[in-house]
Amino acid sequence: MLDAVVGSVIMVIATTTLFAAVEVIEKGFEGAGRQPLSKREERLLERVGRADALDQQQFWRDSLQSLPREVLLP
């Protein structure tokens, strides 16, 4: 009987931890791509031909801000 209670407590703790981990991952995806371009990213864009700041910001808006914010499972 005691084994069943201990097993149930372990299952509850494991399930709660799993839900907490999923929530942290979702918050990470939510904030992804919302920061402005770093200096390193700007230099990389300059090397591939997007030299001016306006062109770089257009790339940021078109490519990074429009990405989905949710994890879609198949």
Side-chain angles (χ1 to χ4, degrees), residues 2-20:
L2 182 63
D3 293 341
V5 172
V6 171
S8 297
V9 169
I10 290 172
M11 287 188 336
V12 167
I13 291 172
T15 304
T16 304
T17 303
L18 178 63
F19 283 134

Side-chain angles (χ1 to χ4, degrees), residues 2-55:
L2 182 63
D3 293 341
V5 172
V6 171
S8 297
V9 169
I10 290 172
M11 287 188 336
V12 167
I13 291 172
T15 304
T16 304
T17 303
L18 178 63
F19 283 134
V22 168
E23 179 133 357
V24 168
I25 290 170
E26 286 180 348
K27 285 182 182 178
F29 274 110
E30 184 178 307
R34 297 201 184 255
Q35 303 85 0
L37 295 174
S38 68
K39 294 297 179 188
R40 183 176 180 211
E41 291 166 333
E42 288 176 1
R43 287 193 307 266
L44 179 64
L45 287 173
E46 288 172 3
R47 287 192 302 181
V48 297
R50 296 188 177 260
D52 63 359
L54 192 61
D55 200 21

Side-chain angles (χ1 to χ4, degrees), residues 54-70:
L54 192 61
D55 200 21
Q56 290 175 0
Q57 291 303 317
Q58 183 67 35
F59 171 79
W60 182 72
R61 281 192 302 275
D62 292 345
S63 300
L64 300 176
Q65 280 191 324
S66 62
L67 292 175
R69 300 279 180 228
E70 298 175 356

